[in-house]
Amino acid sequence: MDYTIRAVRPEEYEALGEITARAFLDDGHLDFGEEDDYLHLLRDVARRVAEADVLVAVDRDGTVLGGVTFARGGEEWADIAREGEAEFRMLAVAKGARGRGVGEALVRTCVERARNTGEYRRMVLSTQSNMASAHRIYERLGFVRTPDRDWKPLPDMAPLFTYALEL
């Protein structure tokens, strides 16, 4: 592995925000493109850091390759996590860093973090139905679909798929 995963630093907020925004935009995961309200949240790493844990993968030169937000059930950034559950969101890897295992390593780090605290019994996540490469990562790591928890952030949006991993 030619990168390190750790907490994001203030000087990396802008880079991670742009990587996250570009990943969602360029891969077609925002219904309204550049006009999508969610884009502001994807770019606002400082807010995420204030309210959750944000991890980055950086290479030996300190270049940000990707990141993820780790949230605790019942807190601001948890969409579906309940008490006793942890959740990760906004998993994104820069286009040039894809295929190197960065996304999977970020997910593994979230799972390890949840396991190591001893406070969580399950890790959960939401994902769009068309994020097939992400689904493969989740399933390879033992996550299973939980269709009973699928949900819609907006009434006219396609339902988000949910996955869970028993810890």
Side-chain angles (χ1 to χ4, degrees), residues 84-155:
E85 296 178 335
E87 178 173 349
F88 69 85
R89 299 184 51 197
M90 300 176 181
L91 175 66
V93 176
K95 248 194 194 3
R98 293 182 183 178
R100 294 169 49 187
V102 174
E104 184 170 332
L106 287 162
V107 173
R108 284 183 187 279
T109 301
C110 287
V111 170
E112 289 167 16
R113 176 179 282 235
R115 276 193 177 121
N116 291 341
T117 68
E119 21 178 329
Y120 307 109
R121 67 182 179 283
R122 184 177 303 115
M123 170 71 70
V124 296
L125 67 103
S126 300
T127 180
Q128 291 181 3
S129 62
N130 61 350
M131 293 179 165
S133 59
H135 301 170
R136 284 191 295 276
I137 291 171
Y138 308 146
E139 291 165 7
R140 187 169 49 247
L141 296 178
F143 284 84
V144 295
R145 279 274 293 120
T146 52
D148 57 310
R149 292 180 75 171
D150 290 356
W151 64 290
K152 290 180 166 189
L154 300 169

Side-chain angles (χ1 to χ4, degrees), residues 24-98:
F24 278 72
L25 273 171
D26 295 347
D27 294 345
H29 300 307
L30 296 175
D31 290 341
F32 304 106
E34 291 281 354
E35 305 303 314
D36 201 298
D37 290 338
Y38 194 53
L39 200 53
H40 175 72
L41 288 176
L42 295 172
R43 285 188 168 120
D44 194 352
V45 175
R47 177 177 170 199
R48 284 191 268 154
V49 167
E51 301 169 345
D53 297 334
V54 180
L55 305 172
V56 288
V58 294
D59 68 13
R60 291 181 184 154
D61 297 327
T63 302
V64 177
L65 305 175
V68 67
T69 299
F70 178 94
R72 293 154 187 82
E75 291 187 358
E76 178 71 24
W77 286 91
D79 279 334
I80 64 165
R82 303 172 183 146
E83 188 174 327
E85 296 178 335
E87 178 173 349
F88 69 85
R89 299 184 51 197
M90 300 176 181
L91 175 66
V93 176
K95 248 194 194 3
R98 293 182 183 178

Side-chain angles (χ1 to χ4, degrees), residues 4-24:
T4 302
I5 297 176
R6 58 166 169 71
V8 67
R9 296 177 180 156
E11 64 271 18
E12 298 164 334
Y13 291 0
E14 186 176 344
L16 179 58
E18 196 54 33
I19 286 168
T20 308
R22 292 286 9 137
F24 278 72

